[in-house]
Amino acid sequence: MGGLFGVASQSECIMDLFYGTDYLSHLGTRRGGLLTNGRGGFVRSIHNIENAYFRNKFEPDLNEFSGGRGIGVISDTDAQPITISSHLGRFGIVTVGRINNLEALAEKNHAKKQHFSEMSGIGINPSELVARLICNEDSFEAGIMRAQSEIQGSCSLLLLTEKGLYAARDRLGRTPLIIGKKDGAYAVTSETCAFPNLGYAVDKELGPGEVVFITADGHEQRTPPRDKMQVCAFLWVYYGYPASAYEGLSVEAVRYRCGRALAANDDVDIDFVSGIPDSGIGHAIGYAMEKRIPYQRAFVKYTPTWPRSFMPQNQTVRDLVAKMKLIPMKSQIEGKRILFCEDSIVRGTQLKDTVQILFDYGAAEVHMRPACPVLVYPCEFLNFSTSRSTLDLAGRKAIKEIEGVEDRYLTEYADSGSEKNLSMIETIRRSLKLSSLKFQQMNDLVAAIGLPKERLCTHCWDGSSCF
């Protein structure tokens, strides 16, 4: 994944930019970057943050930055920001998304005898490719529109120019961009949780494909939003921060509603509800409120040194982080019938180990209630699943066990409550050695979020999407 933050201020912006970008650290753990346009022109810093926190890496650099405008990024793909000198002027760019036709677009540029200089382990830098597309037009606005029309997948971006900032949300709005304001400054972010402690109040949410130009004095729409939106529903289920809101809908409140929906469809007898930290906690609280039964912690998360386990690209490292960061409490577990709420079951490898630990510590029963349906399709539009093959998905593994191949009758398996869907869930339950397993129904998830289904991207659950 990744996150964007930008500032246009009448005074020095670096501290807002630094802390605002840091508040997006839950969206990635590979690279971070800052760029300002100040007294000495463009100043940039990029660091690897796989083994250190963003703040620790960037604090020594802060005195190098100056000026009232800047952009920052947390990136799990390419090194960003990059700076470009072009006929449009000098500018910096940061992007979030996934370009599925990157190689085809690059070949079109190669055919014009153009080259790419920002190369890395992943090949051509996607942000440089987007910059190239923008520079093929006579204005930033036209260039951004061209990039959005040619990119298959998604791409939200910020541009830092000599005059201000451009903010552009991807054409179907899969990733959010929100503008905030305070006296003397405007900011734009992927996550509203970055605003409160910096003194910003939400002023505007960009619509799908909308382009806005931002200065310290205000913001101006340069390209209107499109009618069609498919914002990623997984924002509310998992990777969005609890203190954030998208489309005016609080992440924490949606998770409470998800938990309540799980409880309303459940009749299991348990001693207490718990959540798999951290993103399962809100769902579990909602479940406990609906059932009026205790919410207790069976695990505590050791946060001082262990980052999110989903981010490392290596499965062995992910499993190690997942194990080491959760400390079981035997006094809470032994002899108890425990129901856990979880945001989702993706691979199931970490969860299987967690379940075994619970039984090793004396749990009488372990029940699991994921807050979304079974993941049957890989994400085609964002980078949170780029490291896994389709067969890594717990749902696909179960289908292969049943059918002998992993891609047969996918529509039927994705249909909540169907015979094949229930058979897939039972196969996953046996694999994880759970006492019971029930997934959220699609209609309940959509109702919990509060947007019409056609305004949500639910591709990873039911294969529906716009390309």
Side-chain angles (χ1 to χ4, degrees), residues 32-227:
L34 299 175
L35 175 70
T36 59
N37 185 9
R39 293 182 297 274
F42 285 98
V43 175
R44 178 181 69 166
S45 180
I46 300 172
H47 288 291
N48 184 307
I49 55 173
E50 289 181 279
N51 297 305
Y53 292 114
F54 177 92
R55 290 194 307 277
N56 294 345
K57 282 295 185 79
F58 283 87
E59 276 179 336
D61 302 340
L62 295 183
N63 289 334
E64 301 175 14
F65 294 98
S66 64
R69 296 189 299 271
I71 54 177
V73 64
I74 299 292
S75 173
D76 264 345
T77 53
D78 44 323
Q80 305 182 60
I82 64 169
T83 57
I84 301 291
S85 179
S86 75
H87 69 286
L88 299 174
R90 195 175 182 194
F91 67 93
I93 183 172
V94 289
T95 66
V96 164
R98 177 174 173 177
I99 305 175
N100 293 323
N101 60 334
L102 186 145
E103 293 299 328
L105 292 173
E107 284 303 314
K108 288 174 65 175
N109 279 269
H110 289 153
K112 299 175 183 177
K113 297 182 173 57
Q114 296 178 350
H115 69 277
F116 296 91
S117 59
E118 296 279 345
M119 304 296 290
S120 66
I122 63 171
I124 292 171
N125 185 307
S127 294
E128 184 182 11
L129 174 67
V130 176
R132 290 281 186 186
L133 294 174
I134 292 171
C135 291
N136 283 332
E137 296 295 332
D138 293 329
S139 69
F140 286 115
E141 293 87 349
I144 292 169
M145 289 184 67
R146 175 172 182 164
Q148 289 179 332
S149 66
E150 293 195 19
I151 288 170
Q152 295 175 11
S154 69
C155 180
S156 293
L157 61 88
L158 300 180
L159 297 183
L160 175 62
T161 74
E162 301 285 359
K163 297 181 179 180
L165 306 180
Y166 284 92
R169 188 174 178 183
D170 69 275
R171 62 187 177 90
L172 285 170
R174 288 196 165 93
T175 53
L177 280 178
I178 306 100
I179 296 174
K181 69 176 180 179
K182 66 179 180 180
D183 288 344
Y186 284 81
V188 58
T189 183
S190 299
E191 295 264 325
T192 59
C193 67
F195 283 161
N197 289 345
L198 298 178
Y200 290 91
V202 171
D203 189 50
K204 173 182 173 61
E205 295 197 38
L206 273 67
E210 186 174 5
V211 180
V212 173
F213 184 67
I214 305 169
T215 69
D217 298 318
H219 52 83
E220 178 184 350
Q221 183 185 87
R222 295 295 176 88
T223 303
R226 304 183 183 207
D227 294 331

Side-chain angles (χ1 to χ4, degrees), residues 277 300-302 306-309 321-327:
V300 290
K301 183 178 178 181
Y302 193 77
W306 290 102
R308 270 181 138 184
S309 57
V321 172
K323 177 181 178 181
M324 298 301 289
K325 72 179 181 179
L326 296 181
I327 303 174

